[in-house]
């Protein structure tokens, strides 16, 4: 049998966020979160049941945080934890006030609100079914842990006790998650489109501003979850965030889908991964072309974009991860334009490989005669002095990479040729030894 060398594409997604590895307690119980970072709307007795005593499994002083006023279905009291940097929050845990057996107060339910700098507002958490109220405790001593689906990105978190009948409550809490290292603070883009009657391929968990365009928030594209192979299998009437965000070509006026990412600091980018649907029999295909632009200030995207063309696949319908090299480009803002190959583009997850760039970087300025911002669609390809463009401080990509790859492939081909030659030669020799004429001679 002839040896065959198969080069297969990587089909599994490269995810920026693995929530299974983001489950550590953030420091309420351990004390890693200092007292000064725990505040509250009010306290019944700040010296005995103030916010600093609202730590899970803590029994100090009164043994919990207790707000001054009783709680109803209109929550106004809150316990706030300041995490400072943006964290991914995947779970929370609560307790009532045990008070060494003397406490009788607990929260049977509560709401969560969160804040981060780019949002500029407090956002109330809703789960994938759109529910706001989280089940709390049933007694004063047992903990009740609740997974957050979807996870949230927050630098400050508030617990708002909630009760179906007026009552006094007390709470102890813990927050679980991890520091958000990928650096994306927001993305902006057009909302997804409807498909047929009632099928909304929206970014339903997006927590920013919904005003024509989605702005200054995060949602499904960065939540670490990819949609199923069949995009319809992931859609349920009762569930928000079915896995795919989709745009239809005929609603864009012939323009590409444009997504703009903002990062926490100026970064150096090596790659972007886009998880795409390719059910071409249902008019969904991977984008035909992607253009990627970079900016330090976010207003002008100068310099030629990175352009990536995708070879159309109308044989296999599986979803796939598309990786585009970004060649150590520098910026704090990244703009991606995706061009249609079919009626629909559907993407589920988008992540970057990047590191914080070191150096002094100034915001771009328009050149003489350029008074307008870069068009949302057309890319400014004017040749500019090198000094105007951000310069990478890291090592450039190894220019010999392709040469090494080609050399390795040539070596494999030569080895195969030698192996085939030896097999044929040995086969001929065995025939000669077996021949009667060879025996007589």
């Amino acid at each position: 049998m002839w040896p065959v060398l198969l080069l297969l594409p990587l089909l599994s997604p490269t995810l920026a966020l693995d929530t299974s590895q983001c489950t550590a307690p953030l420091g309420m119980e351990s004390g890693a979160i200092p007292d000064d970072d725990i505040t509250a709307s009010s306290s019944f007795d700040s010296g005995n049941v103030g916010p600093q005593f609202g730590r899970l499994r803590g029994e100090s002083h009164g043994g919990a945080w207790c707000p001054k006023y009783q709680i109803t279905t209109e929550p106004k009291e809150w316990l706030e934890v300041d995490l400072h940097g943006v964290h991914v929050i995947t779970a929370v845990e609560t307790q009532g006030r045990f008070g060494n057996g003397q406490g009788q107060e607990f929260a049977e339910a509560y709401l969560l609100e969160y804040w981060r700098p780019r949002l500029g507002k407090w956002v109330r958490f809703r789960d994938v079914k759109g529910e706001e109220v989280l089940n709390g405790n049933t007694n004063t001593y047992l903990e009740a842990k609740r997974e957050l689906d979807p996870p949230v990105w927050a630098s400050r978190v508030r617990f708002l006790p909630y009760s179906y009948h007026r009552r006094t409550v007390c709470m102890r809490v813990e927050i679980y998650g991890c520091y958000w290292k990928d650096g994306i603070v927001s993305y902006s883009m057009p909302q997804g489109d409807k498909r047929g009657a009632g099928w909304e391929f929206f970014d339903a968990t997006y927590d920013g501003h919904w005003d024509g365009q989605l702005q200054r928030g995060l949602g499904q594209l960065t939540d670490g979850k990819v949609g199923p192979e069949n995009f319809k299998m992931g859609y349920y009437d009762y569930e928000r965030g079915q896995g795919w965000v989709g745009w239809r070509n005929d609603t864009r006026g012939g323009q590409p889908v444009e997504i703009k990412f903002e990062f926490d600091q100026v970064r150096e980018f090596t790659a972007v991964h886009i998880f795409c649907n390719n059910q071409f029999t249902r008019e969904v295909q991977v984008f035909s072309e992607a253009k990627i632009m970079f900016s330090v200030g976010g207003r002008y995207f100068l310099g030629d974009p990175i352009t990536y063309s995708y070879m159309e696949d109308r044989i296999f319908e599986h979803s796939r991860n598309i990786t585009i090299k970004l060649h150590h480009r520098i910026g704090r803002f990244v703009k991606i334009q995706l061009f249609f190959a079919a009626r629909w583009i559907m993407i589920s997850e988008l992540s970057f490989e990047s590191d914080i760039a070191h150096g002094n970087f100034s915001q771009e300025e328009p050149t003489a005669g350029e008074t307008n911002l870069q068009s949302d669609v057309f890319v400014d390809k004017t040749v500019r002095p090198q000094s105007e463009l951000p310069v990478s401080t890291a090592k450039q990509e190894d220019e010999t990479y392709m040469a090494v790859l080609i050399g390795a492939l040539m070596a494999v081909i030569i080895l195969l040729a030698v192996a085939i030659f030896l097999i044929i030669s040995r086969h001929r020799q065995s025939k000669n030894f077996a021949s009667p004429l060879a025996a007589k001679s």
Side-chain angles (χ1 to χ4, degrees):
M1 180 179 291
W2 294 93
V4 180
L5 180 65
L6 295 177
L7 298 177
L8 299 176
L10 181 64
L11 302 181
S12 60
T14 302
L15 302 182
L17 174 64
D18 182 359
T19 54
S20 67
Q21 302 299 317
C22 189
T23 58
L26 296 183
M28 286 295 286
E29 180 181 1
S30 68
I33 296 173
D35 289 348
D36 290 343
D37 290 337
I38 310 170
T39 56
S41 54
S42 70
S43 299
F44 184 80
D45 177 359
S46 59
N48 197 41
V49 288
Q52 68 273 27
F53 304 116
R55 298 176 181 275
L56 193 77
R57 300 183 184 88
E59 293 292 343
S60 177
H61 292 71
W65 163 69
C66 303
K68 184 176 182 180
Y69 303 101
Q70 290 188 316
I71 303 303
T72 66
T73 54
E74 297 181 0
K76 297 178 181 178
E77 301 289 339
W78 44 261
L79 175 68
E80 180 180 322
V81 180
D82 190 348
L83 302 171
H84 294 285
V86 175
H87 288 67
V88 184
I89 311 301
T90 57
V92 292
E93 193 169 13
T94 61
Q95 272 181 301
R97 186 179 80 90
F98 183 62
N100 294 315
Q102 302 301 312
Q104 299 178 356
E105 306 86 5
F106 59 90
E108 60 182 340
Y110 59 96
L111 308 177
L112 281 180
E113 291 183 344
Y114 62 94
W115 184 93
R116 62 176 182 273
R118 193 65 182 98
L119 273 176
K121 64 175 184 177
W122 285 93
V123 176
R124 185 160 291 178
F125 171 77
R126 291 185 176 91
D127 66 16
V128 292
K129 298 181 181 180
E131 299 293 333
E132 293 182 349
V133 179
L134 300 176
N135 291 328
N137 301 97
T138 56
N139 55 48
T140 62
Y141 51 90
L142 289 179
E143 306 91 344
K145 189 174 183 179
R146 299 288 175 255
E147 307 292 332
L148 301 186
D149 186 13
V152 300
W153 294 261
S155 55
R156 292 155 66 186
V157 179
R158 281 181 178 176
F159 295 79
L160 291 81
Y162 181 99
S163 179
Y164 298 101
H165 52 276
R166 185 178 294 273
R167 65 184 293 174
T168 300
V169 305
C170 297
M171 294 187 77
R172 293 177 285 173
V173 305
E174 180 61 276
I175 304 171
Y176 296 85
C178 60
Y179 184 72
W180 178 233
K181 295 183 293 186
D182 292 62
I184 300 174
V185 296
S186 73
Y187 61 81
S188 302
M189 66 179 188
Q191 181 58 286
D193 290 319
K194 291 185 178 180
R195 182 183 176 106
W199 290 66
E200 297 178 342
F201 286 92
F202 291 175
D203 193 337
T205 62
Y206 190 81
D207 62 9
H209 299 263
W210 293 40
D211 185 16
Q213 289 249 123
L214 304 181
Q215 297 181 349
R216 302 205 302 273
L218 294 170
Q220 287 176 218
L221 298 190
T222 53
D223 65 3
K225 297 191 296 184
V226 298
E229 291 291 329
N230 183 342
F231 60 82
K232 289 188 176 182
M233 293 298 292
Y235 191 95
Y236 302 97
D237 292 338
Y238 62 82
E239 183 173 304
R240 303 160 66 243
Q242 76 285 356
W244 295 102
V245 183
W247 299 271
R248 207 170 66 233
N249 195 2
D250 53 8
T251 65
R252 308 254 72 83
Q255 307 302 320
V257 176
E258 183 171 283
I259 311 173
K260 183 178 177 180
F261 291 85
E262 180 180 352
F263 290 79
D264 54 352
Q265 301 181 60
V266 176
R267 286 179 169 259
E268 180 177 353
F269 297 92
T270 53
V272 60
H273 308 281
I274 309 173
F275 195 68
C276 305
N277 194 289
N278 195 56
Q279 287 188 272
F280 57 85
T281 56
R282 296 183 177 180
E283 301 182 295
V284 183
Q285 280 187 242
V286 176
F287 52 84
S288 62
E289 183 179 86
K291 290 187 176 181
I292 307 171
M293 294 151 276
F294 303 83
S295 172
V296 171
R299 193 176 184 193
Y300 300 100
F301 289 79
L302 306 181
D304 288 339
I306 292 174
T307 301
Y308 174 89
S309 297
Y310 183 77
M311 185 177 295
E312 182 181 59
D313 178 4
R314 294 185 63 84
I315 300 175
F316 300 106
E317 290 199 302
H318 58 258
S319 303
R320 69 225 29 213
N321 184 61
I322 307 300
T323 297
I324 304 173
K325 286 190 173 184
L326 300 182
H327 309 295
H328 300 286
R329 294 287 287 271
I330 299 293
R332 196 167 74 86
F333 296 84
V334 180
K335 185 188 290 186
I336 299 179
Q337 294 177 340
L338 304 177
F339 293 80
F340 288 85
R343 191 180 184 195
W344 283 85
I345 287 176
M346 288 189 181
I347 63 176
S348 177
E349 194 73 8
L350 200 153
S351 63
F352 291 86
E353 292 180 25
S354 70
D355 291 303
I356 295 173
H358 301 285
N360 295 320
F361 305 98
S362 57
Q363 297 187 12
E364 300 85 354
E365 296 292 338
T367 57
E370 185 177 12
T371 57
N372 296 324
L373 300 185
Q374 183 180 3
S375 164
D376 286 342
V377 176
F378 299 103
V379 178
D380 181 2
K381 292 189 176 182
T382 306
V383 177
R384 308 183 189 281
Q386 187 66 27
S387 60
E388 290 184 9
L389 301 178
V391 179
S392 167
T393 59
K395 295 180 180 179
Q396 298 297 314
E397 283 188 317
D398 188 354
E399 297 178 356
T400 64
Y401 175 77
M402 289 303 298
V404 172
L405 180 60
I406 293 170
L409 291 174
M410 290 297 295
V412 171
I413 292 170
I414 292 169
L415 288 173
L416 289 174
V418 171
I420 293 166
F421 175 76
L422 291 174
I423 290 170
I424 293 172
S425 299
R426 188 167 294 179
H427 183 64
R428 286 181 176 173
Q429 288 177 4
S430 63
K431 273 190 172 183
N432 289 336
F433 284 124
S435 169
L437 293 175
K440 287 182 181 181
S441 62

